[in-house]
């Protein structure tokens, strides 16, 4: 069986799914939020949804992570999204690592607030 056949067979279950309905998520974990694409996705999620966005940022402390994300958002958009959406950005510090042997991600560390809504 060729690679394309394996791919088609593996994904055939998605052919009949109704993707037209829109799910209203209350919480969204966003990795890569400090990169170009991640910053734009974060801004769009804040502007287009009502969900709380949980950007995962690699840094030692929450203050460093927040400062890094604020700097990136200011650089790309010349505005402070933390002030524009004060209750919707729930910063997470941590790191995810992809294990090539198992094909899975594993959490090396993640700090979370004590409560989620």
């Amino acid at each position: 069986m060729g690679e394309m056949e394996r791919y088609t067979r593996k994904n055939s279950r998605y052919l009949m799914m109704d993707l037209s309905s829109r799910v209203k998520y209350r919480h969204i974990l966003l990795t890569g939020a400090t990169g170009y694409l991640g910053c734009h996705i974060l801004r769009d999620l804040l502007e287009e949804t009502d969900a709380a966005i949980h950007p995962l940022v690699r840094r030692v402390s929450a203050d460093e992570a927040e400062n890094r994300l604020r700097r990136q958002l200011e650089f790309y958009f010349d505005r402070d999204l933390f002030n524009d959406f004060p209750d919707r950005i729930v910063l997470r510090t941590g790191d995810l690592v992809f294990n090539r042997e198992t094909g899975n991600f594993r959490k090396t560390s993640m700090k979370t607030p004590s409560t989620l809504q």
Side-chain angles (χ1 to χ4, degrees), residues 18-36:
D18 178 14
L19 301 177
S20 64
S21 64
R22 203 167 167 179
V23 176
K24 294 191 101 177
Y25 294 101
R26 290 180 35 218
H27 297 274
I28 299 170
L29 176 65
L30 177 64
T31 61
T34 58
Y36 174 82

Side-chain angles (χ1 to χ4, degrees), residues 31-71:
T31 61
T34 58
Y36 174 82
L37 184 59
C39 283
H40 286 80
I41 291 172
L42 175 59
R43 181 201 56 193
D44 290 350
L45 286 170
L46 290 168
E47 291 178 346
E48 302 296 328
T49 73
D50 293 326
I53 313 302
H54 301 258
L56 180 63
V57 179
R58 280 186 298 230
R59 277 293 176 243
V60 175
S61 73
D63 288 339
E64 285 180 279
E66 183 176 333
N67 288 337
R68 181 174 179 215
L69 185 56
R70 279 183 185 269
R71 281 193 311 269

Side-chain angles (χ1 to χ4, degrees), residues 39-116:
C39 283
H40 286 80
I41 291 172
L42 175 59
R43 181 201 56 193
D44 290 350
L45 286 170
L46 290 168
E47 291 178 346
E48 302 296 328
T49 73
D50 293 326
I53 313 302
H54 301 258
L56 180 63
V57 179
R58 280 186 298 230
R59 277 293 176 243
V60 175
S61 73
D63 288 339
E64 285 180 279
E66 183 176 333
N67 288 337
R68 181 174 179 215
L69 185 56
R70 279 183 185 269
R71 281 193 311 269
Q72 291 298 97
L73 295 171
E74 181 80 24
F75 175 79
Y76 289 120
F77 309 118
D78 198 28
R79 67 189 264 212
D80 188 349
L81 292 174
F82 278 86
N83 286 337
D84 295 348
F85 302 95
D87 299 328
R88 303 229 349 261
I89 299 176
V90 183
L91 190 66
R92 308 283 186 191
T93 59
D95 196 7
L96 295 176
V97 176
F98 184 71
N99 184 331
R100 291 177 191 235
E101 290 176 17
T102 64
N104 295 317
F105 282 95
R106 71 177 170 85
K107 175 181 70 168
T108 59
S109 67
M110 186 190 299
K111 306 248 188 284
T112 61
S114 57
T115 59
L116 284 179

